[in-house]
Amino acid sequence: MTIPDTSPPPDWKSLYHLAVMELDPTQIVGRIADARNAILNRIEETITKPGEYNERQALSDALNGLRVLREKQEHRASALAPLREKTG
């Protein structure tokens, strides 16, 4: 008999930090996607709540950070593509 995992999912901040700290290029795209989804979910949760300005600003900043991280990863991948073609 297995017990279902009832632990709460990681919050957006934890997922964001995991994405930013990820060094494995095969894992970073997934980490970015997970963090982005969690941030967008949190934005939806707070959109109608007054007084959430500071958190919404942090969410916006985190989305921008993920965008930059994704762009850097895409640049790295495109720079390595010709090398892979030569050795592949």
Side-chain angles (χ1 to χ4, degrees), residues 45-61:
E45 291 171 4
T46 63
I47 200 79
T48 60
K49 295 180 183 177
E52 297 289 336
Y53 176 79
N54 289 337
E55 184 178 11
R56 280 196 295 271
Q57 185 63 50
L59 290 161
S60 177
D61 292 346

Side-chain angles (χ1 to χ4, degrees), residues 15-32:
L15 293 170
Y16 175 75
H17 288 290
L18 285 172
V20 171
M21 300 304 292
E22 183 61 63
L23 298 176
D24 184 347
T26 64
Q27 298 291 319
I28 195 161
V29 173
R31 297 270 192 208
I32 291 170

Side-chain angles (χ1 to χ4, degrees), residues 71-85:
E71 289 171 356
K72 286 183 178 183
Q73 176 60 24
E74 289 170 354
H75 179 71
R76 256 186 246 122
S78 66
L80 291 175
L83 296 175
R84 288 188 190 123
E85 290 172 5

